[in-house]
Amino acid sequence: MIDAISDYLARNNANTGGAYHTSRKTDLMLLEARSAMGDFLNCAADEIVFGANMTTLTFAMSRALGRELGPGDEIVLTLLDHDANFSPWKALEEKGVVIRTVKFNENDCTLDMDDLAEKIGRRTRVVAVGYASNAVGTINNVGEVVRLARQAGALSYIDAVHYAPHGPIDVHALDCDFLACSTYKFFGPHMGVLYGKREHLKKLRPYKVRPLTDDIPNCWEWGTLNHECIAGITACVDYWAELGRRAKPTVATRRAAILAAHEAIHEHERAMMEKMIAGFLAIPGLKLYGISDPRRFEHRCATFVVRIKGHTPLELATKLGERGFFTWDGNYYALNLAEQLDVERLGGFLRIGLVHYNTMQEVERLLRTLAEIAG
Ligand SMILES: Cc1ncc(COP(=O)(O)O)c(C=O)c1O
């Protein structure tokens, strides 16, 4: 990915649509990146929109969707979500749109699906929900959320930023209307990607400059994009495919290779998660938030938030940082969650996240270090 970015800058750096070699190469590179992301999400290349990050793309889409909404129209949001899938929709209150928020169960930090079903009604126009929580690691039943939204005639908008490094995404099977993710979360460059069903990208009206084409997906991408990072996106998807081919050499297509990578990653992360959670529960004074029962591990990913009696999250993160463990403290923008669990005023949580390049030895070392610090 790093090589692809520098190679683009060194050899093909240009703007799009020009009648010369490097511009044509740039046009081609963009097509390749869209098709790579199409394989990653299982959609067509022209349903892929690139942008600065998920937050920016979501503000853009909420503004465009907001043009079609008026007083009394409702949007359903959840208190489990990252604020990037909350505030862009809440901003539409200015137009008289009514925001209905779905609770989560405090004992295991799972979405309250009964509350969700009840909040979706005749006036619901959009249901925005996260695929996985970037704080407590809960994986939501987004398939069911999409189904409930569709049944009510509402659009579904999925924030898959946190889920993307941990599980396979199939927008076609999900039948969601929109899904946003960020390539930097799955080992690519700092960029955002939005999938939109072709019919919506065509029908909705983006705010844009006049000379920009009306063709999708370009009409949703304003100004000059970050071409070098987009060149990195293709390489990032190819990295996934390469992982998959190593795990399952018989795979025939890039999509199949990506799915094989996810299978291998799932197994590895699951084993680390079991060790990590068992280790957490043995540390005196440690409180783990979210699912802790191994029988329900299919509903969480290897992202953990904890608090330890007598230590602030910042103290813990600092001490871990000094020992070479890079963790987070605070709310990581899962503000509603931190407020509802009443930890916002106490420095939030300590968050520890695992991905596929972590090892069992690192998990053991982290648990030993955390026990020492807590001691
Ligand atoms: C679940 C979730 N949604 C949205 C975002 C925002 O993504 P971006 O930084 O691409 O705007 C994040 C970033 O941490 C996230 O974890």
Side-chain angles (χ1 to χ4, degrees):
M1 189 269 285
I2 296 165
D3 286 349
I5 291 174
S6 51
D7 192 64
Y8 173 79
L9 284 172
R11 291 169 207 278
N12 297 316
N13 193 18
N15 217 323
T16 52
Y20 55 94
H21 180 67
T22 50
S23 183
R24 289 194 184 113
K25 294 265 286 196
T26 297
D27 289 337
L28 195 64
M29 177 281 289
L30 275 160
L31 284 178
E32 280 169 4
R34 287 192 211 285
S35 130
M37 276 312 299
D39 283 351
F40 195 80
L41 300 177
N42 200 26
C43 62
D46 67 352
E47 294 176 310
I48 294 290
V49 175
F50 291 122
N53 49 55
M54 178 274 182
T55 308
T56 309
L57 285 166
T58 304
F59 266 110
M61 189 46 77
S62 75
R63 254 161 63 87
L65 268 165
R67 292 177 107 170
E68 315 296 324
L69 304 181
D73 284 333
E74 295 180 2
I75 295 183
V76 174
L77 307 175
T78 95
L79 294 179
L80 203 53
D81 270 72
H82 185 286
D83 216 60
N85 203 26
F86 194 88
S87 289
W89 304 110
K90 191 157 166 57
L92 297 177
E93 280 180 329
E94 286 170 4
K95 300 195 58 173
V97 169
V98 176
I99 300 297
R100 308 198 74 194
T101 49
V102 177
K103 294 184 291 205
F104 62 90
N105 303 304
E106 290 194 9
N107 57 335
D108 61 1
C109 298
T110 55
L111 214 50
D112 183 335
M113 291 300 278
D114 293 336
D115 191 37
L116 183 117
E118 196 198 299
K119 294 278 158 64
I120 297 177
R122 219 169 28 85
R123 303 298 310 261
T124 309
R125 300 291 173 256
V126 181
V127 180
V129 69
Y131 210 139
S133 158
N134 68 315
V136 288
T138 310
I139 297 172
N140 294 318
N141 185 352
V142 286
E144 178 62 5
V145 178
V146 171
R147 197 187 64 76
L148 289 169
R150 182 159 313 286
Q151 208 174 46
L155 298 173
S156 50
Y157 190 97
I158 312 291
D159 170 5
V161 172
H162 195 73
Y163 183 72
H166 300 293
I169 298 171
D170 186 336
V171 290
H172 186 70
L174 270 181
D175 200 24
C176 56
D177 296 294
F178 299 96
L179 180 140
C181 59
S182 303
T183 52
Y184 73 95
K185 299 281 181 172
F186 50 94
F187 324 115
H190 283 100
M191 287 284 300
V193 177
L194 175 68
Y195 155 79
K197 256 190 192 166
R198 190 179 289 126
E199 62 186 272
H200 302 316
L201 293 183
K202 277 192 171 158
K203 204 165 92 200
L204 288 167
R205 296 170 299 139
Y207 287 93
K208 67 179 196 59
V209 292
R210 288 171 301 161
L212 180 63
T213 176
D214 286 323
D215 292 342
I216 65 155
N218 310 72
C219 63
W220 291 93
E221 297 169 333
W222 314 299
T224 305
L225 291 173
N226 188 335
H227 297 155
E228 56 272 28
C229 280
I230 296 176
I233 289 178
T234 306
C236 157
V237 173
D238 284 338
Y239 163 73
W240 276 88
E242 172 63 19
L243 279 182
R245 285 192 198 98
R246 285 192 200 182
K248 205 190 247 181
T250 53
V251 289
T253 63
R254 182 161 61 183
R255 172 76 186 161
I258 292 163
L259 296 179
H262 272 297
E263 252 178 65
I265 285 172
H266 181 76
E267 207 178 304
H268 178 59
E269 289 187 0
R270 165 85 192 219
M272 290 193 295
M273 178 157 69
E274 280 177 18
K275 185 161 218 79
M276 189 70 114
I277 290 188
F280 281 149
L281 299 179
I283 296 176
L286 182 147
K287 178 170 168 54
L288 170 72
Y289 294 81
I291 295 171
S292 61
D293 179 351
R295 284 169 303 186
R296 298 181 56 221
F297 279 180
E298 287 308 308
H299 304 296
R300 67 133 54 242
C301 59
T303 306
F304 316 100
V305 294
V306 301
R307 288 186 54 89
I308 299 183
K309 236 194 200 119
H311 302 267
T312 67
L314 177 58
E315 264 165 44
L316 294 169
T318 306
K319 287 184 179 159
L320 285 169
E322 285 160 0
R323 291 160 177 79
F325 295 102
F326 297 173
T327 62
W328 280 100
D329 68 282
N331 64 35
Y332 353 97
Y333 287 23
L335 179 60
N336 289 317
L337 172 101
E339 282 178 348
Q340 191 179 321
L341 292 176
D342 200 25
V343 298
E344 184 57 16
R345 61 190 179 88
L346 306 169
F349 320 87
L350 172 73
R351 182 178 74 174
I352 299 166
L354 298 174
V355 287
H356 69 274
Y357 53 68
N358 288 118
T359 65
M360 222 36 141
Q361 289 76 14
E362 286 174 322
V363 172
E364 284 160 7
R365 205 152 57 80
L366 180 124
L367 286 168
R368 269 200 311 276
T369 310
L370 201 57
E372 265 168 41
I373 295 171

